[in-house]
Amino acid sequence: MICKLANYADAERIDTLRGRLRKEGVESYLVKFDESHLLITENPSDRAATLLAESALVTHQFRLGTPYQLTSRRYHPADTTIAFADVLIGGEYVHVIAGPCAIESEPIARELATLMQKSGLVFFRGGLFKPRTSPYSFQGLGESGLSILRELKNMGMLLVTEALDDRCLRLLADIVDVIQIGSRNMHNFSLLRAVGELGKPVLLKRGMAATLEEFLMAAEYIVISGNRNVILCERGIRTVSDHTRNTLDLSAIPFLKRETHLPVIVDPSHGTGRRELVPAMSRAAVAAGADGVMIEIHPQPSIAWSDGDQSMFPADLPTLLLDIDRIAAAIGRKLWKKSSKN
Amino acid sequence: MICKLANYADAERIDTLRGRLRKEGVESYLVKFDESHLLITENPSDRAATLLAESALVTHQFRLGTPYQLTSRRYHPADTTIAFADVLIGGEYVHVIAGPCAIESEPIARELATLMQKSGLVFFRGGLFKPRTSPYSFQGLGESGLSILRELKNMGMLLVTEALDDRCLRLLADIVDVIQIGSRNMHNFSLLRAVGELGKPVLLKRGMAATLEEFLMAAEYIVISGNRNVILCERGIRTVSDHTRNTLDLSAIPFLKRETHLPVIVDPSHGTGRRELVPAMSRAAVAAGADGVMIEIHPQPSIAWSDGDQSMFPADLPTLLLDIDRIAAAIGRKLWKKSSKN
Amino acid sequence: MICKLANYADAERIDTLRGRLRKEGVESYLVKFDESHLLITENPSDRAATLLAESALVTHQFRLGTPYQLTSRRYHPADTTIAFADVLIGGEYVHVIAGPCAIESEPIARELATLMQKSGLVFFRGGLFKPRTSPYSFQGLGESGLSILRELKNMGMLLVTEALDDRCLRLLADIVDVIQIGSRNMHNFSLLRAVGELGKPVLLKRGMAATLEEFLMAAEYIVISGNRNVILCERGIRTVSDHTRNTLDLSAIPFLKRETHLPVIVDPSHGTGRRELVPAMSRAAVAAGADGVMIEIHPQPSIAWSDGDQSMFPADLPTLLLDIDRIAAAIGRKLWKKSSKN
Amino acid sequence: MICKLANYADAERIDTLRGRLRKEGVESYLVKFDESHLLITENPSDRAATLLAESALVTHQFRLGTPYQLTSRRYHPADTTIAFADVLIGGEYVHVIAGPCAIESEPIARELATLMQKSGLVFFRGGLFKPRTSPYSFQGLGESGLSILRELKNMGMLLVTEALDDRCLRLLADIVDVIQIGSRNMHNFSLLRAVGELGKPVLLKRGMAATLEEFLMAAEYIVISGNRNVILCERGIRTVSDHTRNTLDLSAIPFLKRETHLPVIVDPSHGTGRRELVPAMSRAAVAAGADGVMIEIHPQPSIAWSDGDQSMFPADLPTLLLDIDRIAAAIGRKLWKKSSKN
């Protein structure tokens, strides 16, 4: 249950109230969301609910019927939009976030960024810290690649990069625009809290066997820490279907758009693992209502250090963007391109 | 390997050739496909392959590298289209097949058919023989409902109905236009052969844990029996994702469209189990390249005898069709409606 | 709900009662189970339940709270045992059913049967009709192999063989002792009813994505047809775990033993697909309470026409039997061997 | 490839060799394993392999054919045993690790420990830091519960407790005997490295959708950091089977015992989520060759703060231990009990 607190509720009175709840066996969480101070509990007993209802500190009570609360659209009906200067994620426009799986060198990164800029794209994805199944595989350029990120930033790109732990967060905080939390860390609650406290926009990927309720609860860990700028990313789950690397669960899009106010995007590159399926799945994602897609692209996929099979050729980008734009138009939206705002 | 036989190959000579193959431990299958006589083997040994290559009866050899052969696009590059008088499945147009899960009564069936005709739809789906998990659940009207099918046929509808066994096939053969083989029977090879021999168009649904290779092999069982009019239907697979009844695997569409020449449609009703997700998944299916969608609709879903939660309200049909038409247009196709051909 | 009918309930009175139920929208099923005449309904409305409670024809009512009824241990608390002359499945003894995946030739079949007899085993498994993913793969010897089955029968073996359709049932009915219904046909309700009516013991394998509730409902289809001699066989389900062909779900054993009175066995050969894992999984199955295991064995697995990787070497059989015997003893049971009864 | 280095290989020479490898595009890892200095690479090119073969620093080369190297039994054929004074995990004896899911209070913890000691058990499991799906659920006593752990240690128990992050590791390092890494963190590579560097024995749980190859690679992350005392724990994976919370994949036991030298245990409590299935699954795990089982137990499961449904009643412990002892004896092993060593 979410309880909105009165403006005059000061720390002392709130503590008293929380102490009384605790005596009833109910833990409460004090959260600042938008401009409101909220007191949140899991499932208050009748006695605890009465106690809250009768408290002069509580001005509104919301019992949502779902385990996720702050991320629920029942609590916050309007879409959350995330602003990067004049660029908005979660609004009318549909975005294409592109870039290599891992940043391998400055020339390749620059080449891709230049290419993207020609197409009007601004969100560059690319990892410096790669979570790899094998400790013997390429783990990303790491700290030594930070200068490349700065270079891309200077070119005017908005950067999306994965963080694996506190150290990554510290290194990336001043440079990147969106911190990505990968599938393998969706259940790393310590990292979710840490990225919540950092306050930067977060792109949270669905765990590879996570239900959507668990996915929203992972987002709730971030939002409860004071950061509501969370972009949810469907990237496929593990199933018995073996023609793709993962099974892209596009029904997550309309389900999530109903259940939460957070923006929802799709990663068809990891979601299929095969570049020849990426265009169709990108069109489908947008048709289903996604706020964007995140796509891997590489000048020479066959020699990419990771995920070459799923990286698109740069030459295929314009057609993809045209198709996405047409699909977006068919449902009353528009592909965001730099020129589209000028 | 597929071997095309010369026109002068008569039964006796073919038998001799097959006998020689058998001595090499290689079984062969004689199939008529389009106008050609073919001899097909699984994976011929080198000796058997030589034997075929050197046979004067063999004019062409195709080694495809896939276990499915006649259904493979590598063997037959052009799209297979299935004609119902002036209506074509598998061509430029996208189809919406609609109707109730189970046919419950003549008035309801007529009401839905009339409604569909107003929207220009001609393919009516509805089951008389229902495969139900419980022997105590409603099993469909069965034989007593055949008169309703005849009535719908007289109204001008094209009928899609499931067959469970030989008896169903016999009862339905003269009335329906498309025989549906359900997910639970995708691996019922005896039924696949029987429906292949029947010669009517078949709508084959993917098994609930089937890989796409297995799905294509099931289609191959039908085609090898002499019937190449098979429509493949993705209807979701069982996964750990629990917000939907099944997980609709839309990546099957572009994959199948590349691998096979057969038409591919999607059933978003069974694929999600939730009517509120059906429109978005229908749009996504068409955007991904499906040749149609098959949708459950019921005048009063809350009292439907089966699958009420996933049946759409008739009132929502026009918007769905409009959206599908727009998405189809965005990728250069068109929704098929009776008026669209007049 | 199961209603036991009074001895004096005649066809006419029962029809009247069923007619009154039908007017309430409740279908009922008349079943003979053991010596009782039963009337079974799915979930009777309150009015229908009252109608049954007040009927003089109904002597007992059982509302079980599960969708499976006749197979439920709540209805029939005692273990069902299936007798083959002096051999009992489902009682104190644990059985090892062995044999090749497919019967390939008389010499191989005889060799295996002789070997098994030396070890005291009597249940011989082996398929003549094989459900194969590819229509181009070896489909079993079929009708031409019936004489081999007769030969094995003459040797004194009890035969377990799969049936795929009505034709198989007709051909096998007089020869085999147990009809196997394979995983791919667990949802083939027409076949389940047909094998139920045949009256012979049935070995029913769990479908590859079936829940245990669905598995028990499939058994219910057989039992409702008048045949309660059903042996349930766990054989693994499809999961994301890839070190085995399927994931053997041994928790099915204690769950099924609680929920149903039917015997439960395990197929570790299909359940793992790897012969080196079969002994450990056999021991585990018996330790978990299985009434037996069904194992593939082949004199030369490397040249077996199907499933060679999972077939055990005959030389490893004695150790396996010894281990199973020891595990059985540890939980107060015993491995059944011919000598053990002499 | 693992290369054993000569004793005279000093830092400078090794650096030179690694530099030459790097020029060939091959990264190498320097690891101390047992008493050997090793240089490990992923898949060296032919040129790099030659370079290593010809280096005077390299005394032995091991090309294993698996992505896991140090954890592979092909590299280290003998079982790894982990000693806690006179108690050994991974040897002849089978262990039962027991305790509550979460430590809730000192009295409950003491009560359980006393009970366990009466049964001869020494490994106490219990969490202070709980990874919970909901941020609003009980997260464990945290730091305030450390004194309870110290108390249990003073009672002579060996402690197994989960760590979620670096902070947990610091707090727990001096008190607990085994650090547990939970399923949700199996892919948290930063945490795996950190616990590897800590040097204490680690109990690593399989991720809920992890393959066994990924599981072994996670162990490799720990071992490469210099800590080979890793106990692998199968705890069930997510599947479509819904009668249990997870599907316990017992085939993992014989597979892992063949592939790796590390000890393997099973958690039937999380693996089933139902206490009534825990005894059968414990017996099965031991029959399949597990080195132990880890079981949840609670004096009053119905009021446990987490996982009550899967916690055993203390009164059922003696029978469980007796059964496990008998099964262990049947395969030539023994249940470890304090008295058994006196």
Side-chain angles (χ1 to χ4, degrees):
Chain A
M1 191 162 64
I2 300 179
C3 299
K4 207 172 255 188
L5 298 179
N7 288 337
Y8 59 80
D10 54 22
E12 196 187 326
R13 289 188 206 170
I14 294 173
D15 274 359
T16 308
L17 177 58
R18 296 179 74 188
R20 291 176 65 197
L21 287 170
R22 204 169 294 124
K23 275 188 195 148
E24 298 294 332
V26 173
E27 201 54 49
S28 61
Y29 300 82
L30 195 60
V31 182
K32 200 168 172 222
F33 185 79
D34 289 338
E35 295 309 301
S36 308
H37 288 276
L38 308 174
L39 199 62
I40 310 184
T41 63
E42 194 172 17
N43 281 312
S45 60
D46 288 350
R47 283 169 62 106
T50 305
L51 201 150
L52 285 162
E54 292 175 353
S55 166
L57 298 184
V58 175
T59 61
H60 298 83
Q61 280 183 302
F62 303 85
R63 209 188 259 275
L64 303 169
T66 49
Y68 36 94
Q69 303 197 50
L70 294 171
T71 55
S72 172
R73 198 179 273 282
R74 296 183 210 182
Y75 173 65
H76 188 276
D79 282 349
T80 284
T81 54
I82 307 178
F84 303 83
D86 64 332
V87 188
L88 226 60
I89 284 188
E92 178 196 358
Y93 285 88
V94 165
H95 287 274
V96 174
I97 303 169
C101 177
I103 292 178
E104 299 172 9
S105 73
E106 197 188 295
I108 293 180
R110 285 187 68 91
E111 177 183 345
L112 287 170
T114 305
L115 177 101
M116 286 168 58
Q117 287 185 322
K118 280 191 193 140
S119 296
L121 303 182
V122 286
F123 284 103
F124 185 97
R125 60 148 292 157
L128 286 187
F129 305 96
K130 304 297 301 173
R132 300 301 296 273
T133 300
S134 168
Y136 308 116
S137 298
F138 172 59
Q139 310 274 316
L141 291 182
E143 209 166 337
S144 72
L146 291 172
S147 59
I148 304 176
L149 288 187
R150 278 197 205 90
E151 179 86 16
L152 294 168
K153 194 180 177 71
N154 290 341
M155 286 175 69
M157 303 306 283
L158 293 166
L159 303 176
V160 183
T161 298
E162 180 163 4
L164 301 178
D165 51 29
D166 286 348
R167 185 177 153 267
C168 292
L169 287 181
R170 278 193 305 276
L171 291 170
L172 297 171
D174 294 336
I175 310 177
V176 308
D177 298 279
V178 181
I179 300 280
Q180 178 180 313
I181 302 295
S183 293
R184 289 173 180 75
N185 279 315
M186 193 205 88
H187 278 128
N188 181 346
F189 303 120
S190 303
L191 184 60
L192 295 177
R193 287 192 196 277
V195 79
E197 279 154 22
L198 188 66
K200 292 194 88 78
V202 178
L203 190 156
L204 177 65
K205 289 192 148 191
R206 182 181 181 184
M208 52 183 113
T211 65
L212 292 187
E213 186 176 303
E214 290 171 334
F215 191 19
L216 286 170
M217 293 311 282
E220 189 93 6
Y221 265 96
I222 299 171
V223 178
I224 203 186
S225 299
N227 180 352
R228 61 176 287 198
N229 291 327
V230 179
I231 302 160
L232 301 172
C233 180
E234 160 66 30
R235 49 75 76 194
I237 51 170
R238 288 205 170 160
T239 74
V240 299
S241 205
D242 63 359
H243 66 288
T244 43
R245 184 176 171 184
N246 293 289
T247 296
L248 202 57
D249 180 10
L250 292 185
S251 73
I253 305 167
F255 181 87
L256 289 172
K257 294 301 282 184
R258 292 172 65 92
E259 287 295 312
T260 182
H261 48 84
L262 299 173
V264 178
I265 69 165
V266 169
D267 176 348
S269 303
H270 284 88
T272 64
R274 302 175 71 141
R275 88 172 60 84
E276 68 270 27
L277 305 180
V278 168
M281 289 298 94
S282 298
R283 295 193 308 262
V286 173
D291 295 305
V293 292
M294 182 156 78
I295 284 172
E296 287 188 2
I297 189 164
H298 193 281
Q300 284 183 271
S302 61
I303 59 160
W305 295 357
S306 57
D307 289 348
D309 285 346
Q310 69 195 37
S311 294
M312 285 188 69
F313 297 105
D316 294 331
L317 189 59
T319 306
L320 176 75
L321 297 182
L322 189 62
D323 284 354
I324 288 178
D325 201 17
R326 283 181 181 150
I327 296 284
I331 56 166
R333 299 181 80 174
K334 223 175 153 177
L335 172 66
W336 196 92
K337 298 168 88 169
K338 196 120 197 192
S339 58
S340 70
K341 307 289 288 180
N342 296 351
Chain B
M1 191 163 64
I2 300 179
C3 300
K4 210 173 253 187
L5 298 179
N7 288 336
Y8 59 80
D10 54 23
E12 198 186 324
R13 289 187 207 171
I14 295 173
D15 274 358
T16 307
L17 177 58
R18 296 179 74 188
R20 291 175 65 196
L21 287 169
R22 204 169 294 122
K23 274 188 196 147
E24 298 294 332
V26 173
E27 202 53 50
S28 60
Y29 300 83
L30 195 60
V31 182
K32 200 169 173 222
F33 185 80
D34 290 340
E35 297 307 302
S36 308
H37 289 276
L38 309 174
L39 199 62
I40 310 183
T41 63
E42 195 172 18
N43 282 312
S45 59
D46 288 349
R47 283 169 62 104
T50 307
L51 202 150
L52 286 162
E54 293 175 352
S55 166
L57 298 184
V58 174
T59 60
H60 298 84
Q61 279 184 301
F62 302 86
R63 212 187 257 274
L64 304 168
T66 50
Y68 35 95
Q69 305 197 49
L70 294 171
T71 54
S72 171
R73 198 180 273 282
R74 296 184 210 181
Y75 173 65
H76 189 274
D79 282 348
T80 283
T81 55
I82 306 177
F84 303 84
D86 64 331
V87 188
L88 227 59
I89 284 187
E92 177 196 358
Y93 285 87
V94 165
H95 288 274
V96 174
I97 302 169
C101 176
I103 292 178
E104 297 171 9
S105 74
E106 197 188 296
I108 293 180
R110 285 188 68 90
E111 178 184 344
L112 287 171
T114 305
L115 178 100
M116 286 168 58
Q117 287 185 322
K118 280 190 193 143
S119 295
L121 302 182
V122 287
F123 284 103
F124 185 96
R125 59 148 292 157
L128 285 187
F129 305 96
K130 304 297 300 175
R132 300 300 297 273
T133 300
S134 168
Y136 308 116
S137 299
F138 172 59
Q139 310 274 316
L141 291 182
E143 208 165 336
S144 72
L146 290 172
S147 60
I148 303 176
L149 288 187
R150 279 196 204 91
E151 179 86 16
L152 294 168
K153 193 180 178 71
N154 290 340
M155 287 175 69
M157 302 306 284
L158 293 166
L159 303 177
V160 183
T161 298
E162 180 163 4
L164 302 178
D165 50 29
D166 286 349
R167 187 178 151 266
C168 292
L169 288 182
R170 277 193 305 275
L171 292 170
L172 297 171
D174 294 337
I175 309 177
V176 308
D177 299 280
V178 181
I179 301 280
Q180 178 180 315
I181 301 296
S183 294
R184 288 172 181 76
N185 280 316
M186 193 205 87
H187 278 128
N188 180 348
F189 303 120
S190 303
L191 184 59
L192 295 177
R193 287 192 196 276
V195 80
E197 280 154 22
L198 188 65
K200 293 195 87 78
V202 178
L203 190 155
L204 177 65
K205 289 191 148 191
R206 181 180 182 185
M208 51 183 116
T211 64
L212 293 187
E213 186 176 304
E214 290 171 334
F215 191 19
L216 287 170
M217 293 310 281
E220 189 93 7
Y221 266 96
I222 300 171
V223 178
I224 202 186
S225 299
N227 180 353
R228 61 177 289 199
N229 292 326
V230 180
I231 303 158
L232 301 173
C233 180
E234 160 66 28
R235 48 75 75 194
I237 51 170
R238 288 205 170 161
T239 74
V240 298
S241 204
D242 63 359
H243 68 287
T244 43
R245 184 175 171 185
N246 293 290
T247 296
L248 203 56
D249 179 10
L250 293 185
S251 74
I253 305 167
F255 182 86
L256 289 172
K257 295 300 281 183
R258 292 172 66 92
E259 288 295 312
T260 183
H261 48 85
L262 299 173
V264 179
I265 69 165
V266 170
D267 176 347
S269 303
H270 284 87
T272 63
R274 302 174 71 142
R275 90 173 58 84
E276 68 270 27
L277 305 180
V278 167
M281 289 297 94
S282 298
R283 296 195 308 263
V286 173
D291 295 304
V293 293
M294 182 156 76
I295 285 174
E296 287 188 3
I297 189 164
H298 193 281
Q300 285 183 270
S302 61
I303 59 161
W305 295 358
S306 57
D307 289 348
D309 285 347
Q310 70 196 38
S311 294
M312 285 188 68
F313 296 105
D316 294 331
L317 189 60
T319 306
L320 176 75
L321 297 182
L322 190 61
D323 284 355
I324 288 177
D325 201 18
R326 283 182 181 147
I327 295 284
I331 57 165
R333 299 181 79 174
K334 222 174 153 178
L335 173 65
W336 196 93
K337 298 168 87 170
K338 197 121 198 190
S339 58
S340 72
K341 305 289 288 181
N342 296 351
Chain C
M1 191 162 63
I2 300 179
C3 299
K4 208 172 255 186
L5 298 179
N7 287 337
Y8 59 82
D10 54 22
E12 198 187 326
R13 289 187 206 170
I14 294 173
D15 274 358
T16 309
L17 177 58
R18 297 179 74 187
R20 292 175 65 196
L21 287 169
R22 205 169 293 122
K23 275 189 194 145
E24 298 295 332
V26 172
E27 201 53 50
S28 60
Y29 300 83
L30 195 62
V31 182
K32 199 165 172 225
F33 185 79
D34 290 340
E35 295 309 301
S36 307
H37 288 276
L38 308 174
L39 199 61
I40 311 184
T41 63
E42 194 171 17
N43 282 312
S45 60
D46 287 350
R47 283 169 61 104
T50 306
L51 202 149
L52 285 163
E54 291 174 353
S55 165
L57 297 184
V58 175
T59 61
H60 298 82
Q61 280 183 302
F62 303 85
R63 212 187 256 276
L64 304 169
T66 50
Y68 35 95
Q69 305 198 50
L70 295 170
T71 54
S72 171
R73 199 181 271 281
R74 295 184 211 180
Y75 173 64
H76 188 276
D79 282 349
T80 284
T81 54
I82 305 177
F84 303 84
D86 63 331
V87 188
L88 226 59
I89 285 188
E92 179 196 357
Y93 285 87
V94 165
H95 287 274
V96 173
I97 303 169
C101 177
I103 292 178
E104 298 172 9
S105 74
E106 196 189 295
I108 293 180
R110 284 187 69 92
E111 178 184 344
L112 287 170
T114 304
L115 178 101
M116 285 168 60
Q117 288 185 321
K118 280 190 193 141
S119 295
L121 303 182
V122 286
F123 284 103
F124 185 96
R125 60 148 292 157
L128 286 188
F129 305 96
K130 304 297 301 175
R132 300 300 298 271
T133 300
S134 167
Y136 307 116
S137 299
F138 172 59
Q139 310 273 316
L141 292 182
E143 209 166 337
S144 72
L146 291 172
S147 59
I148 304 176
L149 287 186
R150 277 196 206 93
E151 179 86 17
L152 294 169
K153 194 181 178 69
N154 290 339
M155 286 175 70
M157 302 306 284
L158 294 167
L159 304 176
V160 183
T161 298
E162 180 164 4
L164 302 178
D165 50 29
D166 286 348
R167 185 178 153 267
C168 292
L169 287 181
R170 277 194 305 275
L171 291 171
L172 296 171
D174 295 335
I175 309 177
V176 309
D177 299 279
V178 181
I179 301 281
Q180 179 179 315
I181 302 297
S183 293
R184 289 172 180 76
N185 279 315
M186 193 205 86
H187 278 128
N188 180 347
F189 303 121
S190 303
L191 184 59
L192 294 178
R193 287 191 196 277
V195 80
E197 280 155 21
L198 188 66
K200 291 195 88 78
V202 179
L203 190 156
L204 176 65
K205 289 192 149 191
R206 182 181 181 184
M208 51 184 116
T211 65
L212 292 188
E213 186 176 302
E214 291 171 334
F215 190 20
L216 287 171
M217 294 310 281
E220 190 91 6
Y221 265 95
I222 299 172
V223 178
I224 203 186
S225 299
N227 180 352
R228 60 177 290 197
N229 292 326
V230 180
I231 302 160
L232 302 172
C233 181
E234 159 67 28
R235 49 73 78 193
I237 51 170
R238 287 206 171 160
T239 75
V240 298
S241 204
D242 63 0
H243 67 288
T244 43
R245 184 175 171 186
N246 293 289
T247 297
L248 201 57
D249 180 9
L250 292 185
S251 73
I253 305 167
F255 181 86
L256 289 172
K257 294 301 281 183
R258 291 172 67 92
E259 288 295 311
T260 183
H261 48 84
L262 299 173
V264 178
I265 69 165
V266 169
D267 177 347
S269 302
H270 284 88
T272 63
R274 303 173 70 142
R275 89 172 59 85
E276 68 270 28
L277 305 181
V278 168
M281 289 297 95
S282 299
R283 294 194 310 261
V286 173
D291 295 305
V293 293
M294 183 157 77
I295 285 173
E296 288 188 3
I297 189 163
H298 194 281
Q300 284 183 272
S302 60
I303 59 161
W305 295 358
S306 57
D307 289 349
D309 285 347
Q310 69 196 37
S311 294
M312 284 188 69
F313 297 105
D316 294 330
L317 188 59
T319 306
L320 176 74
L321 297 182
L322 189 62
D323 284 354
I324 288 178
D325 201 17
R326 283 181 181 148
I327 295 285
I331 57 165
R333 298 182 80 174
K334 223 174 153 179
L335 172 66
W336 195 93
K337 298 168 87 170
K338 196 122 197 190
S339 58
S340 72
K341 307 288 288 181
N342 297 350
Chain D
M1 191 162 64
I2 300 179
C3 299
K4 209 173 254 186
L5 298 179
N7 288 336
Y8 59 80
D10 56 20
E12 198 186 325
R13 290 188 205 169
I14 295 173
D15 274 359
T16 308
L17 177 58
R18 297 179 73 188
R20 293 175 64 197
L21 287 170
R22 203 170 293 123
K23 274 189 196 145
E24 298 295 332
V26 172
E27 201 54 50
S28 60
Y29 300 82
L30 194 61
V31 182
K32 200 169 171 221
F33 185 79
D34 290 338
E35 295 308 302
S36 306
H37 289 276
L38 308 174
L39 199 62
I40 310 183
T41 63
E42 195 172 16
N43 282 311
S45 60
D46 287 350
R47 283 169 61 105
T50 306
L51 202 149
L52 285 162
E54 292 175 352
S55 166
L57 297 184
V58 174
T59 61
H60 298 83
Q61 280 183 303
F62 303 86
R63 210 187 258 275
L64 303 169
T66 50
Y68 36 95
Q69 305 198 49
L70 294 171
T71 54
S72 171
R73 198 181 272 282
R74 296 183 210 180
Y75 174 64
H76 188 276
D79 283 348
T80 284
T81 54
I82 306 177
F84 303 84
D86 63 332
V87 189
L88 226 60
I89 285 188
E92 178 196 357
Y93 285 86
V94 165
H95 287 274
V96 174
I97 302 169
C101 177
I103 292 178
E104 298 172 9
S105 73
E106 196 189 295
I108 293 179
R110 285 187 69 90
E111 178 185 343
L112 287 171
T114 304
L115 178 100
M116 286 168 58
Q117 288 185 321
K118 280 190 193 141
S119 295
L121 303 181
V122 286
F123 283 103
F124 185 96
R125 60 148 292 157
L128 286 187
F129 305 96
K130 304 297 301 174
R132 299 301 297 272
T133 300
S134 167
Y136 308 116
S137 298
F138 171 60
Q139 311 273 316
L141 291 181
E143 209 167 337
S144 72
L146 291 172
S147 58
I148 304 177
L149 287 187
R150 278 196 204 92
E151 179 86 17
L152 294 169
K153 195 181 177 70
N154 290 340
M155 286 176 68
M157 302 306 284
L158 293 167
L159 303 176
V160 183
T161 298
E162 180 163 3
L164 302 178
D165 51 28
D166 286 348
R167 187 178 152 266
C168 292
L169 287 182
R170 277 194 305 275
L171 291 170
L172 296 171
D174 295 336
I175 309 177
V176 308
D177 299 280
V178 181
I179 300 280
Q180 179 179 314
I181 302 296
S183 294
R184 289 172 180 76
N185 279 316
M186 193 206 85
H187 278 128
N188 180 347
F189 303 121
S190 302
L191 184 60
L192 294 177
R193 287 192 196 277
V195 79
E197 280 156 21
L198 188 65
K200 291 195 88 77
V202 179
L203 190 156
L204 176 66
K205 289 192 149 192
R206 181 181 181 184
M208 51 183 117
T211 64
L212 292 187
E213 186 175 303
E214 291 171 334
F215 190 20
L216 286 170
M217 294 310 282
E220 190 92 6
Y221 265 96
I222 299 171
V223 178
I224 203 186
S225 298
N227 179 353
R228 59 176 289 198
N229 292 325
V230 180
I231 303 159
L232 301 173
C233 180
E234 159 66 29
R235 49 74 77 194
I237 51 170
R238 287 205 171 161
T239 74
V240 298
S241 203
D242 63 0
H243 67 288
T244 43
R245 185 175 171 185
N246 293 289
T247 296
L248 202 57
D249 180 9
L250 292 185
S251 73
I253 304 167
F255 181 87
L256 290 172
K257 293 301 281 184
R258 290 172 67 90
E259 288 295 312
T260 182
H261 48 84
L262 299 173
V264 178
I265 68 165
V266 169
D267 176 348
S269 303
H270 285 88
T272 64
R274 304 174 68 142
R275 89 171 60 84
E276 67 271 26
L277 305 180
V278 168
M281 289 298 95
S282 298
R283 293 194 309 262
V286 173
D291 294 305
V293 292
M294 182 157 76
I295 285 173
E296 287 188 4
I297 190 165
H298 194 281
Q300 284 184 270
S302 61
I303 58 161
W305 295 358
S306 59
D307 288 348
D309 286 346
Q310 71 196 36
S311 294
M312 284 189 69
F313 297 105
D316 295 330
L317 189 59
T319 306
L320 176 75
L321 297 182
L322 190 61
D323 284 354
I324 288 178
D325 201 18
R326 283 181 181 149
I327 295 285
I331 56 165
R333 299 181 79 175
K334 221 173 155 180
L335 172 66
W336 197 93
K337 298 168 87 169
K338 196 122 196 190
S339 59
S340 72
K341 307 289 287 181
N342 296 351

